Amino acid sequence: MAQIRIARRALTECIAAMAFPILLLSILVAPVSAPVVAETDRSRARWCGVETMPLKPSDHSWAKWVVLRPRSRSMWRTDLPVFVTAVLLSALSLLVAFFGFIGAAALVFSPVFWLFGIAAQVGPFTPESVGETLLAMPAGIVLGAVTTTVLTGTSFLRDFLLRAFSRNRDPDLLAKLEELRTSRASLTAAFEFERQRIERDLHDGAQQELVAVVMRLGMLEATATAAAADQERIVRLARQAQAHAERALERLRDTVRDIHPRELSDLGLIAAVRELAARSPLRVELTSTGDDAQLSSPTATAVYFTVSEALTNISKHAGVGNARIDLRCATTGVHVRVHDDGVGGARIDTGSGLAGLRERMRSVGGNLEILSPPGGGTLVVASAPSQPPW
């Protein structure tokens, strides 16, 4: 395994030496070439057995990443120094490989050259007899081994400098890490809030109705046993029990629909939002365009519950009886806007339903924004790609 890694290091240094002219020309477009060279060097280090983390997101193309990377401060702090190091060390590898391997080859094949009347000169050494050419062969082997050792050392030096520059506390990576930590905490709080909501809905809704049904059935049984002739009271209790059972069933359906609506799975996002608007106590003006067939289930679910929560907040807090929904679906993603002309002042508070929805949108690669100036109505804007980045 060690021999394989040494061979890989020597090979990559030879490739770097051959690529030196290209690297030299790429200095002219350093802001574009530096991220590519640095990311390639990180891949080289991983191939040689060094643990390095790629900075290019897996869901980004090279073109998109190269365009966005110069806007990052870490490109200038990390990628550019790695790029400069790559140029300098590639120049060194070119000199070592060119003179070392050519000299080694000339010494090893010195007897062959002598047969053709050529005295292969390597530095100050020029063979003057067959014996000297034969003695030059082991010297050539030693020179080849020394050249390989120097190239391997250059590779280790390249790794050391790569880690040294990458050891700087990359502000972009730290910001992304902090965002992930905050997102995880927000998701945990949102899930706990959702579990409490489901428990509350079941306890205060369906459970109370079912308790009433049980009580009515007990009274019905007692009335039927004590006074078989009191048909009117028996009928009234039976009807009350039936009404409570129907309300319990309806509340259970609402709770199940809030967990995951059947329309979303069977008919798609547009049909599910249309059904949601029809059930809403508000007068909802819905505009939908595009085809939702390309949307993944996580994306469609996140957008659906965003619209549902927005309509619920309008009916509870906006002080108006109407709302507008603009839903646009495309092969690349989905974009939805929910607007009302109410009192405004809505905010995304930690642990609230909207905070959970924002983290849910982010989990599928999307985002949720709220524009709600006091007295100016509320606009909820959500967007997400068709397929989550994971």
Side-chain angles (χ1 to χ4, degrees):
M1 182 62 69
Q3 291 81 356
I4 294 177
R5 290 184 177 178
I6 291 176
R8 285 181 177 180
R9 290 185 176 279
L11 177 60
T12 54
E13 287 305 314
C14 290
I15 295 174
M18 291 185 289
F20 173 72
I22 300 176
L23 292 175
L24 198 59
L25 290 175
S26 66
I27 295 177
L28 300 175
V29 287
V32 175
S33 58
V36 177
V37 173
E39 190 69 7
T40 303
D41 200 38
R42 284 185 279 268
S43 299
R44 174 207 58 80
R46 288 194 297 274
W47 194 59
C48 293
V50 179
E51 293 185 3
T52 59
M53 183 178 66
L55 297 185
K56 186 182 81 67
S58 58
D59 60 324
H60 284 190
S61 64
W62 276 99
K64 179 180 179 181
W65 184 67
V66 168
V67 170
L68 295 177
R69 186 64 176 165
R71 305 175 188 175
S72 168
R73 287 180 297 173
S74 63
M75 196 282 287
W76 306 98
R77 295 183 179 182
T78 303
D79 292 351
L80 192 59
V82 172
F83 172 70
V84 174
T85 300
V87 174
L88 296 177
L89 292 182
S90 295
L92 175 62
S93 296
L94 177 61
L95 293 174
V96 172
F98 182 79
F99 291 105
F101 285 134
I102 289 181
L107 291 174
V108 170
F109 293 101
S110 182
V112 178
F113 294 145
W114 184 267
L115 291 177
F116 288 93
I118 301 174
Q121 181 180 359
V122 178
F125 172 74
T126 302
E128 298 180 354
S129 64
V130 176
E132 289 183 358
T133 60
L134 294 176
L135 292 175
M137 293 179 64
I141 296 174
V142 172
L143 179 59
V146 171
T147 302
T148 301
T149 302
V150 173
L151 290 177
T152 303
T154 304
S155 178
F156 279 111
L157 177 60
R158 194 185 295 266
D159 291 342
F160 172 79
L161 294 175
L162 176 64
R163 287 194 298 268
F165 293 131
S166 301
R167 224 176 258 132
N168 295 331
R169 298 182 66 82
D170 189 327
D172 293 332
L173 292 179
L174 291 177
K176 179 62 71 174
L177 179 60
E178 184 62 27
E179 180 182 342
L180 289 175
R181 289 174 177 170
T182 304
S183 177
R184 183 174 64 179
S186 299
L187 279 175
T188 302
F191 288 153
E192 181 63 26
F193 176 82
E194 187 66 14
R195 284 192 293 267
Q196 293 176 0
R197 184 193 65 80
I198 294 175
E199 186 276 333
R200 184 173 61 253
D201 289 347
L202 290 175
H203 181 273
D204 298 339
Q207 179 174 308
Q208 296 296 332
E209 297 294 344
L210 290 174
V211 169
V213 170
V214 172
M215 294 177 61
R216 291 297 185 277
L217 290 176
M219 295 171 62
L220 180 62
E221 180 185 10
T223 302
T225 302
D230 194 356
Q231 297 295 327
E232 182 178 353
R233 178 173 172 78
I234 293 175
V235 171
R236 184 173 70 254
L237 290 174
R239 289 176 177 173
Q240 291 176 350
Q242 182 181 10
H244 283 293
E246 290 175 351
R247 285 197 295 270
L249 180 60
E250 184 63 27
R251 293 196 177 190
L252 280 175
R253 287 173 177 169
D254 290 340
T255 301
V256 171
R257 186 181 292 113
D258 287 340
I259 297 174
H260 192 84
R262 172 68 65 178
E263 297 87 357
L264 187 59
S265 301
D266 296 344
L267 304 177
L269 176 62
I270 294 177
V273 171
R274 187 177 293 115
E275 177 68 20
L276 182 65
R279 292 198 315 269
S280 175
L282 302 169
R283 294 186 303 275
V284 180
E285 177 185 345
L286 172 62
T287 303
S288 60
T289 58
D291 183 11
D292 59 7
Q294 302 298 324
L295 299 181
S296 65
S297 178
T299 298
T301 301
V303 173
Y304 174 87
F305 282 110
T306 297
V307 176
S308 176
E309 184 71 16
L311 292 179
T312 299
N313 288 342
I314 293 172
S315 62
K316 289 182 177 180
H317 309 297
V320 294
N322 59 298
R324 295 187 299 276
I325 301 175
D326 181 17
L327 177 62
R328 300 178 184 178
C329 300
T331 56
T332 56
V334 58
H335 184 85
V336 63
R337 297 162 61 94
V338 183
H339 185 256
D340 69 78
D341 298 321
V343 298
R347 295 184 304 172
I348 301 180
D349 297 323
T350 303
S352 66
L354 286 176
L357 290 175
R358 181 178 60 182
E359 299 307 324
R360 191 168 195 169
M361 292 299 301
R362 289 178 176 177
S363 71
V364 296
N367 194 24
L368 175 69
E369 296 180 357
I370 293 183
L371 302 176
S372 184
T378 299
L379 174 63
V380 178
V381 181
S383 60
S386 298
Q387 301 294 328
W390 37 267

